[in-house]
Amino acid sequence: MSSISDILMELRQLTDYVNSMRLVTYFDVVGATIFLYDYLLTLGMEVNLVWSSKWTFMKVLYFAQRYLPFVDSVALCFLNQLSTTIDPTTCKMVDKARGVLMITGISLSELVLTLRVWAVWGRSSRMGLVLSILFFLAVSTSFVVSGFFLSSIQFENKPYPTFQGCFIISASRLVYMNWVILMVYEAAILVLMVIPGISAYRIGGDTALHAVVYRDGVIVYIYLFALSTINVIVSISLPHIYLDILWSVERCLHSMLTSRVLLDIRAYGSKAHVVWADGITELHFGSEMVQTKPTLATRLRWARVWKSEA
């Protein structure tokens, strides 16, 4: 028979575990709440700038990465964390579906941001090849790592009848590799945004568009890089119960920031009376669209046009 001290120890461990799960739930709710609040703030812009536009690949991509969080970060999140009737088998299914959708959503958001980098490099075929390889390696590796991690999660029956959510007993720390991959990829994209940004500011020209494309782009990637770094630290240093504490927050921020990138660029185009095919890969600098990598002579000609327009 267990001694009184053993029973008290088990109760203390269970209490600590439940408190830890509550904290994870709070962060999930925070992520979902921020996403819903930002969605309401930007819904008017979306209706005016996206809904009425013609259907393109970019529009489909925008809607996919914009609305997937309603499934993985809102519906499945609350089901996974707040249900009092969910069983271990259902927990496993929900967790796998949520994990796959989150990685898919983050990948779609990264694709939008990557296409913007391709645009500021003048839609260069070489840069397109480099970005395609980097994106494929990052996404495929993330799906492999996520598959191993999601398979490693073990659930048990809830310890008492009113316990909310899924009772996780173990999980692999391999998930930190996802955040390392994302951190490295975002660092590379950040550098690729800074290089043409510096050149653009030196030449001068449309400072408003430069602010929307370059400055805001750099800020977005600094935010995402910082959050990925924090996720790596959390995954390595804290107990397994905290492994996914920032998943929903980063997932929602990816969608929110990416959506704002496209909306802000389209808002600028609307104010400047410029119509772009997709609003992100065809950017109007000065008097012509960036279709191919501009030569030095072309850049100097743009500079003269910008100065004359000013």
Side-chain angles (χ1 to χ4, degrees), residues 84-98:
T84 58
T85 59
I86 192 168
D87 58 80
T89 301
T90 306
C91 283
K92 190 78 171 179
M93 295 173 59
V94 170
D95 212 56
K96 283 186 175 182
R98 186 174 172 229

Side-chain angles (χ1 to χ4, degrees), residues 11-307:
L11 288 175
R12 190 178 300 111
Q13 291 175 348
L14 179 60
T15 301
D16 291 342
Y17 182 87
V18 172
N19 289 334
S20 300
M21 284 205 64
R22 291 303 94 206
L23 182 61
V24 173
T25 300
Y26 296 154
F27 273 89
D28 286 345
V29 172
V30 166
T33 302
I34 293 174
F35 170 76
L36 292 173
Y37 178 67
D38 182 78
Y39 175 77
L40 293 176
L41 289 179
T42 56
L43 181 58
M45 291 180 64
E46 181 180 302
V47 171
N48 294 329
L49 301 172
V50 181
W51 287 15
S52 58
S53 65
K54 66 178 182 179
W55 283 97
T56 62
F57 170 74
M58 187 58 65
K59 183 173 181 178
V60 174
L61 184 58
Y62 170 85
F63 279 129
Q65 70 85 33
R66 171 73 155 170
Y67 285 93
L68 267 180
F70 281 102
V71 180
D72 55 58
S73 296
V74 179
L76 293 182
C77 167
F78 290 157
L79 173 65
N80 196 24
Q81 296 287 5
L82 303 179
S83 174
T84 58
T85 59
I86 192 168
D87 58 80
T89 301
T90 306
C91 283
K92 190 78 171 179
M93 295 173 59
V94 170
D95 212 56
K96 283 186 175 182
R98 186 174 172 229
V100 170
L101 288 176
M102 280 190 166
I103 294 298
T104 301
I106 290 176
S107 299
L108 293 177
S109 297
E110 288 292 341
L111 179 56
V112 174
L113 299 177
T114 302
L115 288 173
R116 181 188 51 182
V117 174
W118 181 52
V120 300
W121 278 85
R123 301 175 71 178
S124 162
S125 57
R126 290 183 179 179
M127 182 54 63
L129 178 61
V130 170
L131 291 173
S132 298
I133 293 173
L134 288 176
F135 181 78
F136 173 78
L137 290 176
V139 171
S140 58
T141 307
S142 292
F143 271 101
V144 172
V145 171
S146 297
F148 283 116
F149 170 69
L150 293 172
S151 299
S152 72
I153 302 177
Q154 300 297 322
F155 300 92
E156 277 193 356
N157 292 319
K158 52 188 179 180
Y160 52 87
T162 57
F163 180 85
Q164 290 181 307
C166 298
F167 191 66
I168 302 174
I169 58 173
S170 66
S172 171
R173 291 188 181 276
L174 184 65
V175 69
Y176 84 91
M177 285 300 301
N178 263 346
W179 307 121
V180 171
I181 294 167
L182 196 57
M183 184 176 63
V184 172
Y185 184 79
E186 287 163 352
I189 297 299
L190 176 59
V191 172
L192 292 175
M193 279 295 296
V194 169
I195 292 173
I198 293 174
S199 299
Y201 276 105
R202 284 177 177 174
I203 294 175
D206 193 336
T207 56
L209 181 56
H210 289 170
V212 172
V213 175
Y214 296 112
R215 184 200 63 194
D216 294 353
V218 169
I219 291 174
V220 164
Y221 267 102
I222 289 175
Y223 285 157
L224 296 178
F225 176 81
L227 193 54
S228 296
T229 303
I230 295 172
N231 256 316
V232 171
I233 297 173
V234 168
S235 299
I236 293 176
S237 58
L238 295 184
H240 69 82
I241 187 62
Y242 296 108
L243 288 177
D244 60 347
I245 191 170
L246 293 177
W247 272 39
S248 288
V249 175
E250 178 153 1
R251 165 73 180 101
C252 291
L253 279 176
H254 262 84
S255 177
M256 291 159 46
L257 293 175
T258 301
S259 299
R260 283 183 175 270
V261 163
L262 190 142
L263 292 175
D264 288 345
I265 292 177
R266 287 202 171 190
Y268 170 85
S270 177
K271 291 180 181 178
H273 305 290
V274 177
V275 179
W276 293 317
D278 56 31
I280 200 161
T281 65
E282 295 179 349
L283 302 178
H284 193 285
F285 291 98
S287 60
E288 56 189 275
M289 237 176 233
V290 178
Q291 297 286 355
T292 58
K293 187 175 181 179
T295 63
L296 178 60
T298 303
R299 289 181 179 274
L300 292 175
R301 179 162 55 85
W302 287 350
R304 290 194 296 271
V305 172
W306 290 331
K307 288 179 180 179

